[in-house]
Amino acid sequence: QVQLVESGGGLVQAGGSLRLSCAASGRTFSSATIGWFRQASGKEREFVAGISWSGGWNDYADSVKGRFTISRDNAKNTVYLQMKSLKPEDTAVYYCAASSRTWVGLPQRLNEYDYWGQGTQVTVSS
């Protein structure tokens, strides 16, 4: 069982930066694949970034490559999403999710993740 709590969201101007945190509790966190997803108003939830249990493998949606960086600190049971050069289209509720299953590659579908946080709002003004 893994419990996830996101933080770090807020209001930022276009071109600015934010760092989101996903704090986890539960014995299986250090072996879990973690993903960040986002859901804009009126749109479906979409994959943003993912990181393997070791932190050695990550993947990003094309829309955020080169601007977002995912990392994890298993000693602190925390995963981070550093977001730079933010755009108004990045406005959404951001969720972290954990998958305790073993994957070849990084899962990007919602149903491939077992645990979800409540989300944190990110608003980018133009």
Side-chain angles (χ1 to χ4, degrees), residues 12-72:
V12 64
Q13 289 187 333
S17 300
L18 281 175
R19 187 177 79 159
L20 305 184
S21 298
C22 173
S25 61
R27 294 181 299 170
T28 59
F29 172 80
S30 61
S31 62
T33 297
I34 303 296
W36 281 99
F37 291 77
R38 66 186 181 187
Q39 187 166 18
S41 179
K43 296 187 177 181
E44 294 185 351
R45 195 171 299 187
E46 64 177 2
F47 173 80
V48 174
I51 190 166
S52 62
W53 67 270
S54 67
W57 195 353
N58 51 52
D59 196 15
Y60 300 90
D62 288 342
S63 58
V64 306
K65 279 182 181 176
R67 300 188 299 121
F68 291 11
T69 303
I70 189 171
S71 61
R72 69 188 296 164

Side-chain angles (χ1 to χ4, degrees), residues 1-4 23-32 74 77 115:
Q1 191 81 359
V2 178
Q3 293 80 42
L4 305 170
S25 61
R27 294 181 299 170
T28 59
F29 172 80
S30 61
S31 62
N74 285 343
N77 276 12
Y115 308 102

Side-chain angles (χ1 to χ4, degrees), residues 23 41 44 69 76 84 88 96 103 111 120:
S41 179
E44 294 185 351
T69 303
K76 295 182 178 180
K84 298 180 179 180
C96 66
W103 299 98
N111 62 5
T120 185

